[in-house]
Amino acid sequence: MKEKLYIIDGTALIYRAFFAFIRNPLYDNKGQNVSAIFGTINSLLKLIEQFNPSNIAISFDRREKTFRHQITDTYKANRPPTPDELRQQVEPIKEFFQKIGLNDISKAGFEADDVIATLADNYQNKYEVVIVSGDKDFTQLVNEQISLFDPKSNKATDVQKVKEKFGILPTQFIDYL
Protein backbone atom coordinates (compact mmCIF):
# COMPACT_ATOMS: atom_id res chain seq x y z
CA MET A 1 0.00 0.00 0.00
CA LYS A 2 1.33 3.41 -1.01
CA GLU A 3 1.83 6.30 1.36
CA LYS A 4 -0.64 9.15 0.98
CA LEU A 5 0.23 12.62 -0.23
CA TYR A 6 -2.25 15.32 0.80
CA ILE A 7 -2.23 18.41 -1.42
CA ILE A 8 -4.26 21.29 -0.03
CA ASP A 9 -5.93 23.93 -2.18
CA GLY A 10 -4.97 26.80 0.13
CA THR A 11 -6.88 29.43 -1.80
CA ALA A 12 -10.12 27.45 -1.66
CA LEU A 13 -9.59 26.78 2.04
CA ILE A 14 -9.08 30.48 2.80
CA TYR A 15 -12.11 31.61 0.79
CA ARG A 16 -14.34 28.95 2.31
CA ALA A 17 -13.22 29.89 5.83
CA PHE A 18 -13.78 33.60 5.25
CA PHE A 19 -17.25 33.23 3.75
CA ALA A 20 -18.32 30.65 6.34
CA PHE A 21 -18.26 33.51 8.84
CA ILE A 22 -19.57 36.23 6.51
CA ARG A 23 -22.74 36.81 8.58
CA ASN A 24 -20.93 36.56 11.92
CA PRO A 25 -17.32 37.59 11.33
CA LEU A 26 -14.69 36.95 13.98
CA TYR A 27 -12.62 39.94 15.12
CA ASP A 28 -9.50 40.16 17.23
CA ASN A 29 -8.99 42.67 20.06
CA LYS A 30 -7.78 45.28 17.53
CA GLY A 31 -10.97 45.02 15.47
CA GLN A 32 -9.34 43.10 12.60
CA ASN A 33 -11.38 40.42 10.88
CA VAL A 34 -9.73 37.05 11.58
CA SER A 35 -12.43 34.74 10.21
CA ALA A 36 -10.26 33.32 7.42
CA ILE A 37 -7.28 32.86 9.74
CA PHE A 38 -9.37 31.04 12.34
CA GLY A 39 -11.29 28.91 9.84
CA THR A 40 -8.27 27.97 7.73
CA ILE A 41 -6.13 26.93 10.68
CA ASN A 42 -9.07 25.08 12.21
CA SER A 43 -9.61 23.17 8.94
CA LEU A 44 -5.93 22.18 8.85
CA LEU A 45 -6.02 21.01 12.47
CA LYS A 46 -9.11 18.89 11.75
CA LEU A 47 -7.39 17.36 8.72
CA ILE A 48 -4.31 16.52 10.78
CA GLU A 49 -6.39 15.11 13.62
CA GLN A 50 -8.48 12.99 11.27
CA PHE A 51 -5.79 11.65 8.93
CA ASN A 52 -2.41 12.30 10.60
CA PRO A 53 -0.79 12.95 7.20
CA SER A 54 2.97 12.53 6.94
CA ASN A 55 3.19 13.94 3.39
CA ILE A 56 1.41 17.24 2.94
CA ALA A 57 1.78 20.32 0.75
CA ILE A 58 -0.28 23.42 0.07
CA SER A 59 -0.69 25.73 -2.91
CA PHE A 60 -2.16 29.21 -3.15
CA ASP A 61 -3.15 31.43 -6.05
CA ARG A 62 -0.56 34.15 -6.47
CA ARG A 63 -0.94 37.80 -7.36
CA GLU A 64 0.90 37.56 -10.68
CA LYS A 65 -1.12 37.06 -13.82
CA THR A 66 -1.20 33.50 -15.11
CA PHE A 67 -0.61 32.03 -18.54
CA ARG A 68 -4.40 32.15 -19.04
CA HIS A 69 -4.29 35.97 -18.86
CA GLN A 70 -1.81 35.88 -21.73
CA ILE A 71 -4.26 33.82 -23.78
CA THR A 72 -7.22 36.13 -23.21
CA ASP A 73 -7.68 39.52 -21.57
CA THR A 74 -11.14 38.49 -20.41
CA TYR A 75 -9.93 35.66 -18.15
CA LYS A 76 -11.74 36.20 -14.80
CA ALA A 77 -12.66 39.71 -15.95
CA ASN A 78 -16.14 39.40 -14.42
CA ARG A 79 -14.98 37.99 -11.09
CA PRO A 80 -15.47 40.42 -8.21
CA PRO A 81 -12.28 41.57 -6.46
CA THR A 82 -11.16 39.86 -3.28
CA PRO A 83 -12.65 41.65 -0.26
CA ASP A 84 -10.05 43.77 1.58
CA GLU A 85 -10.84 42.04 4.88
CA LEU A 86 -9.99 38.71 3.26
CA ARG A 87 -6.90 39.95 1.41
CA GLN A 88 -5.44 41.23 4.70
CA GLN A 89 -5.57 37.72 6.17
CA VAL A 90 -3.77 35.84 3.39
CA GLU A 91 -0.18 36.69 4.36
CA PRO A 92 -0.63 35.83 8.06
CA ILE A 93 -2.12 32.48 7.00
CA LYS A 94 0.80 31.78 4.67
CA GLU A 95 3.23 32.76 7.44
CA PHE A 96 1.53 30.30 9.78
CA PHE A 97 1.91 27.46 7.28
CA GLN A 98 5.54 28.39 6.70
CA LYS A 99 6.27 28.44 10.44
CA ILE A 100 4.84 24.96 10.95
CA GLY A 101 6.88 23.64 8.02
CA LEU A 102 4.05 23.04 5.56
CA ASN A 103 5.50 23.15 2.05
CA ASP A 104 4.05 25.91 -0.14
CA ILE A 105 4.22 24.62 -3.71
CA SER A 106 2.76 27.76 -5.32
CA LYS A 107 4.39 28.92 -8.55
CA ALA A 108 4.37 32.31 -10.25
CA GLY A 109 2.31 32.36 -13.45
CA PHE A 110 0.08 29.47 -12.36
CA GLU A 111 -3.05 29.15 -10.28
CA ALA A 112 -3.11 26.83 -7.29
CA ASP A 113 -5.36 24.47 -9.27
CA ASP A 114 -2.73 24.10 -12.01
CA VAL A 115 0.05 23.39 -9.53
CA ILE A 116 -2.07 20.90 -7.58
CA ALA A 117 -3.20 19.06 -10.72
CA THR A 118 0.36 18.85 -12.03
CA LEU A 119 1.73 17.60 -8.73
CA ALA A 120 -1.08 15.06 -8.37
CA ASP A 121 -0.44 13.76 -11.88
CA ASN A 122 3.32 13.63 -11.38
CA TYR A 123 3.20 11.84 -8.02
CA GLN A 124 0.28 9.46 -8.48
CA ASN A 125 2.63 6.57 -9.25
CA LYS A 126 4.58 7.10 -6.04
CA TYR A 127 1.75 8.09 -3.67
CA GLU A 128 -1.96 7.74 -3.20
CA VAL A 129 -2.79 11.42 -3.77
CA VAL A 130 -5.56 13.15 -1.85
CA ILE A 131 -6.49 16.61 -3.10
CA VAL A 132 -8.01 18.62 -0.25
CA SER A 133 -10.49 21.02 -1.83
CA GLY A 134 -14.17 21.64 -2.33
CA ASP A 135 -13.51 22.71 -5.94
CA LYS A 136 -15.51 20.35 -8.16
CA ASP A 137 -13.16 21.02 -11.11
CA PHE A 138 -10.70 18.58 -9.52
CA THR A 139 -13.23 15.79 -10.13
CA GLN A 140 -11.76 15.28 -13.61
CA LEU A 141 -8.49 14.12 -11.97
CA VAL A 142 -10.02 11.38 -9.82
CA ASN A 143 -8.73 7.91 -10.63
CA GLU A 144 -7.53 4.86 -8.71
CA GLN A 145 -4.55 6.85 -7.37
CA ILE A 146 -6.09 10.32 -6.93
CA SER A 147 -9.07 11.15 -4.75
CA LEU A 148 -10.66 14.34 -3.42
CA PHE A 149 -11.42 15.28 0.14
CA ASP A 150 -13.83 18.14 0.79
CA PRO A 151 -13.14 19.57 4.25
CA LYS A 152 -16.52 21.32 4.33
CA SER A 153 -18.56 18.14 3.93
CA ASN A 154 -15.83 15.92 5.44
CA LYS A 155 -16.35 13.52 2.52
CA ALA A 156 -13.95 11.80 0.18
CA THR A 157 -14.64 11.33 -3.51
CA ASP A 158 -13.22 8.41 -5.45
CA VAL A 159 -14.07 6.96 -8.87
CA GLN A 160 -17.11 5.10 -7.52
CA LYS A 161 -18.50 8.20 -5.81
CA VAL A 162 -18.15 10.20 -9.04
CA LYS A 163 -20.12 7.49 -10.89
CA GLU A 164 -22.81 7.48 -8.19
CA LYS A 165 -23.16 11.24 -7.96
CA PHE A 166 -22.87 12.25 -11.63
CA GLY A 167 -23.48 9.02 -13.56
CA ILE A 168 -20.20 9.42 -15.45
CA LEU A 169 -16.53 8.60 -15.16
CA PRO A 170 -14.17 11.29 -13.87
CA THR A 171 -12.56 11.48 -17.32
CA GLN A 172 -15.96 12.60 -18.68
CA PHE A 173 -16.41 15.34 -16.08
CA ILE A 174 -15.11 18.19 -18.24
CA ASP A 175 -17.72 17.33 -20.90
CA TYR A 176 -20.36 16.98 -18.20
CA LEU A 177 -19.72 20.54 -17.05
Side-chain angles (χ1 to χ4, degrees):
M1 187 162 164
K2 292 181 189 176
E3 284 187 69
K4 290 187 178 183
L5 169 62
Y6 289 81
I7 309 172
I8 301 171
D9 182 349
T11 301
L13 207 61
I14 290 170
Y15 268 80
R16 185 182 70 80
F18 179 78
F19 285 103
F21 291 98
I22 200 69
R23 291 189 180 174
N24 265 331
L26 303 174
Y27 293 96
D28 67 10
N29 60 357
K30 296 176 186 166
Q32 299 278 45
N33 186 319
V34 293
S35 301
I37 295 169
F38 175 81
T40 302
I41 292 171
N42 208 28
S43 290
L44 175 69
L45 293 175
K46 282 183 181 178
L47 181 79
I48 291 170
E49 183 180 301
Q50 187 170 352
F51 298 109
N52 193 26
S54 56
N55 304 298
I56 188 167
I58 192 163
S59 186
F60 301 94
D61 289 342
R62 295 178 45 130
R63 291 183 180 175
E64 301 92 354
K65 292 191 181 268
T66 69
F67 67 93
R68 289 185 181 87
H69 292 97
Q70 295 171 359
I71 295 169
T72 177
D73 292 338
T74 60
Y75 182 65
K76 293 193 177 182
N78 296 322
R79 182 169 284 187
T82 303
D84 287 338
E85 285 190 319
L86 172 56
R87 191 176 320 108
Q88 295 166 359
Q89 296 178 69
V90 173
E91 284 310 310
I93 291 169
K94 288 181 177 182
E95 286 175 25
F96 168 79
F97 287 130
Q98 183 181 17
K99 285 181 180 180
I100 65 167
L102 187 57
N103 296 319
D104 180 355
I105 56 171
S106 307
K107 184 165 174 58
F110 297 90
E111 292 182 0
D113 296 7
D114 300 316
V115 174
I116 292 166
T118 300
L119 194 67
D121 186 55
N122 288 345
Y123 282 92
Q124 67 180 319
N125 293 326
K126 184 176 179 180
Y127 296 99
E128 181 181 327
V129 178
V130 180
I131 298 172
V132 180
S133 179
D135 186 341
K136 70 177 182 273
D137 290 346
F138 285 121
T139 303
Q140 64 189 303
L141 300 175
V142 172
N143 62 32
E144 297 305 321
Q145 303 305 318
I146 301 173
S147 62
L148 303 178
F149 177 76
D150 182 353
K152 180 180 179 183
S153 67
N154 198 37
K155 291 184 181 176
T157 300
D158 58 13
V159 173
Q160 188 58 38
K161 293 254 187 335
V162 173
K163 286 181 193 176
E164 290 169 10
K165 184 172 182 176
F166 299 103
I168 58 169
L169 294 170
T171 55
Q172 299 169 306
F173 194 74
I174 212 93
D175 294 325
Y176 174 83
L177 290 179

